[in-house]
């Protein structure tokens, strides 16, 4: 059973400057809710009860968001704002949420390594704090189902356009079952000609705890950081690891255009906004063509 999840959210967010200079990109709102709350809700809907968030300098707002705010609760109570009161109380009771500080930003692999004592010796999920996935069955639950079948690590895969493979880490592997791949290797940002597939790593993982040993052995790689993908390459050299082409749509809110797209998509899913937003978009598009 997978009970624990790690949400790395310590990164600088250089692709989202200047907005991310003094506030975490993970706290940027998607409609009316910080991005990272959707990530926590996905974990909870997938059966996770214990979440460790890896945070760093300038990320205190994340801690505060998941803590209770008694003054605000009292204020809302006195004003009879019951719906708002319920919505903010719910946040702090979503799961057992813990925080750890990544003292130096040495990359995603290093951020995950910070979780080793908290995780102990059990398999766990990883959800990137700046990546949202819209799907009917939460993508972490989809990965847990594959883990239950094979009892080995699983990484979420997304099919990307061939012409864009060089932006992603892609996998080499063989198909085992519908949407399930046995992974041979990972290739970081390949050229179109060298890409072994167009299946990209998509920000959700279920990992066996020996990943910590492999991270420890991982030398600094791209950007002089300890990359999780490099540690996973060591892992696949020694034991099986699977990729799962999940059903859903991924949004990397850490880049500006995806952030805009995410807001539009999520607002279109809201009954209270949909009609007005469609009318507005039609209007703006018509105007921009003039
Ligand atoms: P990114 O690759 O998006 O890196 O990290 P970043 O530093 O946050 O952003 P850019 O590229 O400079 O714009 C993916 C996830 O891993 C976390 C980030 O917070 C994000 O959720 N991360 C990354 C860490 O927790 N620690 C790190 O050292 C690096």
């Amino acid at each position: 059973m997978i009970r624990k999840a790690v949400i790395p959210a310590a990164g600088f967010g250089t692709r989202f400057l200047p907005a991310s200079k003094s506030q975490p990109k993970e706290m940027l709102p998607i409609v009316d809710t910080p991005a990272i709350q959707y990530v926590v809700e996905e974990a909870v809907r997938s059966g996770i009860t214990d979440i460790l968030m890896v945070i760093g300098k300038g990320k205190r707002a994340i801690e505060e968001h998941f803590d209770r705010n008694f003054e605000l609760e009292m204020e809302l109570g006195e004003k009879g704002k019951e719906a708002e009161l319920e919505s903010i109380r719910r946040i702090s009771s979503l799961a057992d949420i813990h925080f750890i500080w990544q003292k130096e930003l040495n990359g995603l692999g290093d951020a995950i390594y910070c979780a080793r004592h908290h995780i102990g010796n059990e398999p766990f999920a990883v959800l990137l704090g700046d990546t949202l996935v819209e799907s009917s069955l939460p993508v972490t639950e989809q990965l847990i189902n594959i883990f239950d079948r094979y009892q080995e690590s699983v990484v979420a895969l997304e099919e990307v356009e061939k012409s864009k493979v060089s932006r992603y880490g892609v996998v080499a592997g063989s198909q085992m079952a519908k949407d399930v791949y046995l992974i041979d290797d990972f290739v970081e940002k390949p050229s179109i000609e060298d890409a072994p597939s167009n299946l990209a790593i998509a920000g959700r993982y279920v990992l066996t705890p020996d990943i910590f040993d492999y991270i420890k052995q991982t030398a600094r790689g791209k950007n002089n950081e300890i990359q999780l993908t490099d540690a996973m390459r060591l892992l696949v050299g020694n034991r099986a690891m699977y990729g799962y082409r999940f059903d859903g749509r991924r949004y990397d809110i850490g880049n500006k255009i995806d952030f805009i797209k995410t807001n539009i998509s999520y607002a279109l899913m809201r009954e209270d906004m949909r009609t007005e937003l469609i009318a507005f978009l039609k209007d703006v598009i018509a105007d921009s063509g003039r």
Side-chain angles (χ1 to χ4, degrees):
M1 202 171 79
I2 312 283
R3 303 181 299 127
K4 293 183 179 175
V6 179
I7 302 183
F12 279 122
T14 54
R15 288 169 299 153
F16 219 126
L17 286 168
S20 53
K21 185 181 172 210
S22 66
Q23 63 176 335
K25 61 176 171 179
E26 295 83 0
M27 286 299 291
L28 292 171
I30 305 302
V31 186
D32 54 4
T33 301
I36 198 163
Q37 188 178 324
Y38 292 94
V39 179
V40 169
E41 286 177 0
E42 177 197 320
V44 171
R45 282 190 289 124
S46 304
I48 300 291
T49 51
D50 180 305
I51 293 172
L52 180 69
M53 292 194 187
V54 185
I55 56 171
K57 196 171 147 46
K59 302 278 182 164
R60 269 249 144 82
I62 299 178
E63 255 186 310
E64 281 187 22
H65 182 70
F66 291 98
D67 196 1
R68 282 189 75 174
N69 181 336
F70 292 103
E71 289 85 352
L72 179 59
E73 285 180 24
M74 231 151 72
E75 174 78 9
L76 293 171
E78 277 165 16
K79 292 200 165 135
K81 297 194 166 183
E82 292 303 326
E84 289 83 354
L85 180 60
E86 167 52 26
S87 80
I88 65 150
R89 272 214 186 121
R90 201 178 68 82
I91 301 166
S92 52
S93 60
L94 281 170
D96 201 357
I97 299 179
H98 309 265
F99 296 88
I100 193 159
W101 289 73
Q102 185 186 13
K103 296 191 182 67
E104 273 179 59
L105 298 189
N106 286 325
L108 179 58
D110 180 62
I112 303 300
Y113 194 66
C114 294
R116 65 194 181 284
H117 298 303
H118 186 89
I119 296 298
N121 195 27
E122 57 183 291
F124 62 102
V126 173
L127 299 86
L128 298 192
D130 63 354
T131 300
L132 267 52
V133 181
E134 205 281 301
S135 57
S136 43
L137 191 66
V139 61
T140 296
E141 187 177 345
Q142 296 181 38
L143 297 190
I144 290 174
N145 290 342
I146 301 298
F147 178 86
D148 288 344
R149 196 189 305 168
Y150 296 98
Q151 296 295 314
E152 295 286 2
S153 298
V154 192
V155 54
L157 299 177
E158 177 190 32
E159 210 164 326
V160 297
E161 274 176 48
K162 275 246 153 60
S163 61
K164 293 184 180 153
V165 280
S166 54
R167 296 185 193 173
Y168 299 92
V170 300
V171 299
S174 42
Q175 190 161 3
M176 302 296 292
K178 185 174 180 296
D179 299 322
V180 180
Y181 297 80
L182 179 63
I183 295 175
D184 295 326
D185 203 358
F186 296 93
V187 189
E188 204 46 64
K189 301 191 167 47
S191 63
I192 302 177
E193 304 77 52
D194 294 339
S197 75
N198 64 336
L199 294 169
I201 306 170
R204 296 291 187 268
Y205 314 76
V206 170
L207 298 170
T208 48
D210 54 345
I211 191 67
F212 296 119
D213 300 329
Y214 293 110
I215 297 174
K216 201 172 170 189
Q217 293 166 36
T218 301
R220 285 175 184 271
K222 194 178 141 262
N223 299 337
N224 202 29
E225 291 179 341
I226 297 170
Q227 299 293 346
L228 181 61
T229 305
D230 292 340
M232 294 193 309
R233 292 189 78 183
L234 296 178
L235 187 144
V236 293
N238 287 292
R239 66 186 287 179
M241 179 168 191
Y242 293 88
Y244 183 63
R245 185 166 53 181
F246 66 94
D247 181 25
R249 188 188 276 261
R250 183 182 73 98
Y251 299 93
D252 170 8
I253 65 102
N255 81 67
K256 295 171 189 178
I257 184 70
D258 258 26
F259 172 76
I260 307 280
K261 289 180 189 172
T262 316
N263 261 302
I264 293 173
S265 299
Y266 278 62
L268 286 172
M269 286 186 266
R270 295 266 294 250
E271 279 311 315
D272 58 335
M273 297 187 179
R274 187 179 166 78
T275 311
E276 193 173 336
L277 182 58
I278 290 175
F280 170 77
L281 289 172
K282 280 186 181 157
D283 212 27
V284 191
I285 291 164
D287 271 0
S288 72
R290 268 184 215 141

